[in-house]
Every structure is written in structure tokens, then in C-alpha cells.
Amino acid sequence: MKIPGAVVIVTGGSRGLGRAFSVELLKRGARVCVADINETEGRQTEAELQRQYGADKAFFVKCDVTKEDDTKDLWRVAVERFTTVDLMVNNAGIMNETLVEETVQINLMGAMRGSMLAFEHMRRDRGGKGGVIINVASTAGLFPVFFMPTYVASKYALVGFTRSWASNPCQARFGVNWAVLCPAFADTSMLSVALDGPDPPLVTYQENKEQVIATVKTIGINSVDDVSRAFVELVEKDDNNGAVVTVEKNMGGAVYRFVKNPNCL
Ligand SMILES: NC(=O)c1ccc[n+]([C@@H]2O[C@H](COP(=O)([O-])OP(=O)(O)OC[C@H]3O[C@@H](n4cnc5c(N)ncnc54)[C@H](O)[C@@H]3O)[C@@H](O)[C@H]2O)c1
Ligand SMILES: CC[C@@H](O)/C=C/C=C\C[C@@H](O)/C=C/C=C/C=C\[C@@H](O)CCCC(=O)O
């Protein structure tokens, strides 16, 4: 899709990858609604983005993606402010193996809820203009990672959900493209909190510390820019329906796989 003039909702946009995606979109002339549960950081990000790109180009909405009412309010406010939404980026997520329910509610149910609200708004067969839905999963949604099974489950499910909608025979009639971004480790607070703390919220970390660290070293740590570049390329591709984009620092960066047939990757 063309970014100039596009209207975008980014969940989890107060910091990290979501904030970086928002900046790249604003740089290219989009208008962005930043949604996040963290209001303090969200207001700070809103002020910085408005200062840089204009008060009419970016605004923050407090939204807990686990709450249906919050997500519906997010859409109501975004449409009131910008009339339409062209791209939905379901990016909000946590990585903490001690929070099983929360992980599923945020990483999976939150992204599914945001996806379905976007789909109903965008679908051409019911008066919408079409659009794009990008779900931010992880390479941990494509490969098992022994030290974060719950996180992996949430991301595998998100990949499957997104690819299933992308492979719907009515997809062209709906006019909504579905894609999933699957970075490996990226240098944000999610990774630093997981790695730097004395007892990272991982499964059997104490028993397998060396293996965890070896996995990170083998795969490498993406910079936020590495992931943002892949994100922008994915957004700008007109034929991004069914795209599964991995971003792995030591495996050559971004790799685009277009899933036309749900049985192949
Ligand atoms: N950092 C990595 O290594 C990495 C790798 C692959 C995928 N990802 C995924 O990328 C996305 C962004 O991760 P990040 O690294 O920027 O993490 P981050 O912790 O820096 O940012 C996550 C954002 O989501 C928000 N959030 C958390 N729960 C929420 C909720 N219930 N409702 C609304 N917002 C909520 C947080 O407030 C935060 O602003 C996540 O989905 C994550 O799983 C991260
Ligand atoms: C090291 C602490 C860890 O829990 C931090 C996680 C931070 C981000 C979350 C997650 O999205 C990152 C996942 C990265 C996974 C990397 C490895 C696997 O995908 C295995 C890849 C195998 C392959 O590419 O062949």
C-alpha cells in the first residue's frame, strides 16, 4: 500500500517496535493512532510525535487490547478523528512465561480482536475501502523455542490465524490483505528485561542458561531499525497478502515468504 496519506492504528505503540513503526509511517506521510495500555509512555510518545510531525498527524489512545470495550473505543476514536483506517498493526505483546493467561490474552486474543475490528471496518463487500492488517508475531511463531513455550504458542496461533484469513478464497472480494511480521530477537525492552534480569521470566532458564544465551547469540539480535525496515517494505508491497516476513540478524535479515497456499511456507 501507499503510505503517504494512509491512516494507521498501531497497538503497543508507546515504545519499542510499535513506536518505531509509527515513526517510519509518519516520516512517510501517514497519520498514526498510537494505542497502548501504558498511558505515561503513550502521552510522552504522542507529544514527541506531534512535535516532530504535527498535531494533526499523530495521537494516543489508551487501550488495553485484552478489553473488547477498549478496542472498540480505540476504533471509534480513530475513525472519528481520521474518518477511515487503512492499516491496522497489531503489535502489542508481552514475553513473560510466568503470565500464561495474560500472554495468550494480549499476544493472541488482543491481536485477533484488533484484526476482526479492522476487517469489519475495511472489507469492501460491506462498504469499506479495503486495507491491510499486519500482525506482529515472531520467529518464535514459526519455530519452537524451549524457554518460552507459552509465548511460542501465542505467536504460532497468531501466525495461523493471519495466514488462514490471507488464504480465504473470498480475500480479493473483501479487499483486505493480511500479513504477519516475524522478527527474531530485537533490541527493545522486551529483550533486555528478559535477558538482563537476575531471573528472566523463562522456562527452565536456571537449568539451561547457557543454551538460552547460545540461542540468542546464534540467531543474533536485530536492531529496531532492522525490524522497522522490514516492516516498511512489507507495508509498501502491494501484493503483501499472505506474506510471512522473518527478520533474523545472523540469518541474512529479512526474508519474505508469500503464503498463497496455506499448506506451504
Ligand atoms: N523484542 C523482541 O525481541 C521481539 C521479537 C519478535 C517479536 N516481538 C514482538 O514485537 C511486538 C513489540 O514488542 P517490543 O519488543 O516492542 O516490546 P515492548 O515491551 O518494548 O513494547 C510492547 C508494547 O506493548 C504494550 N502492551 C503490553 N500489553 C498491552 C496491552 N494489554 N494492551 C495494549 N498495549 C500493551 C506495552 O505497553 C509496550 O508499549 C510484540 O508483539 C513482541 O512479541 C518482539
Ligand atoms: C532470551 C530471552 C527471550 O525470552 C527473549 C525474547 C524476546 C523477544 C521475543 C521473541 O519474539 C523472540 C523470539 C526469537 C526466537 C529466536 C529463535 C527461534 O525463532 C528459533 C529460530 C530457528 C531458526 O530460525 O531456524
Side-chain angles (χ1 to χ4, degrees):
M1 68 179 282
K2 288 183 177 29
I3 295 181
V7 173
V8 189
I9 295 177
V10 180
T11 67
S14 289
R15 68 173 184 226
L17 294 177
R19 187 183 188 286
F21 298 158
S22 302
V23 168
E24 292 307 320
L25 290 163
L26 285 160
K27 271 183 193 170
R28 290 164 175 80
R31 287 172 290 165
V32 178
C33 172
V34 170
D36 204 295
I37 194 171
N38 186 323
E39 185 159 20
T40 306
E41 291 185 342
R43 292 292 174 207
Q44 190 178 343
T45 293
E46 178 187 62
E48 290 161 3
L49 296 182
Q50 288 188 347
R51 204 171 23 253
Q52 180 84 21
Y53 300 102
D56 61 333
K57 296 292 189 303
F59 72 100
F60 171 76
V61 175
K62 184 177 188 308
C63 171
D64 176 350
V65 298
T66 68
K67 293 180 178 162
E68 178 111 27
D69 289 350
D70 276 21
T71 316
K72 284 180 176 174
D73 281 348
L74 164 62
W75 269 87
R76 179 180 52 76
V77 171
V79 172
E80 272 172 12
R81 187 75 172 264
F82 287 146
T83 310
T84 184
V85 177
D86 305 295
L87 169 62
M88 176 75 190
V89 184
N90 293 295
N91 165 77
I94 63 168
M95 202 295 303
N96 184 328
E97 289 296 313
T98 67
L99 302 176
V100 174
E101 277 295 323
E102 295 86 340
T103 295
V104 174
Q105 284 302 325
I106 296 165
N107 295 7
L108 176 60
M109 296 307 295
M112 287 172 66
R113 188 172 294 118
S115 295
M116 294 323 294
L117 283 169
F119 176 66
E120 288 307 323
H121 171 86
M122 295 172 176
R123 61 188 292 182
R124 286 210 184 102
D125 61 319
R126 294 206 183 147
K129 289 174 44 199
V132 180
I133 297 168
I134 293 178
N135 288 325
V136 182
S138 167
T139 57
L142 303 170
F143 301 97
V145 187
F146 76 84
F147 46 83
M148 45 185 181
T150 305
Y151 180 90
V152 166
S154 73
K155 295 299 189 178
Y156 259 78
L158 183 56
V159 171
F161 172 81
T162 311
R163 288 174 64 195
S164 296
W165 272 106
S167 62
N168 189 299
C170 301
Q171 184 275 332
R173 178 156 61 89
F174 295 145
V176 180
N177 285 5
W178 297 74
V180 62
L181 184 63
C182 297
F185 303 111
D187 187 16
T188 70
S189 55
M190 177 179 279
L191 186 63
S192 54
V193 164
L195 273 181
D196 299 347
D199 188 15
L202 306 174
V203 166
T204 66
Y205 177 74
Q206 296 307 335
E207 294 87 336
N208 299 296
K209 196 181 298 187
E210 290 70 30
Q211 278 177 278
V212 173
I213 293 164
T215 299
V216 177
K217 280 198 174 134
T218 304
I219 302 295
I221 298 176
N222 292 304
S223 69
V224 170
D225 283 350
D226 292 329
V227 183
S228 299
R229 261 196 307 278
F231 168 78
V232 169
E233 282 177 35
L234 175 58
V235 172
E236 290 182 328
K237 276 189 185 301
D238 285 328
D239 63 344
N240 54 17
N241 185 56
V244 177
V245 180
T246 58
V247 190
E248 295 177 280
K249 190 77 176 174
N250 293 355
M251 311 285 191
V255 176
Y256 291 75
R257 298 175 174 92
F258 283 88
V259 179
K260 297 302 178 194
N261 172 344
N263 302 314
C264 70
L265 181 59

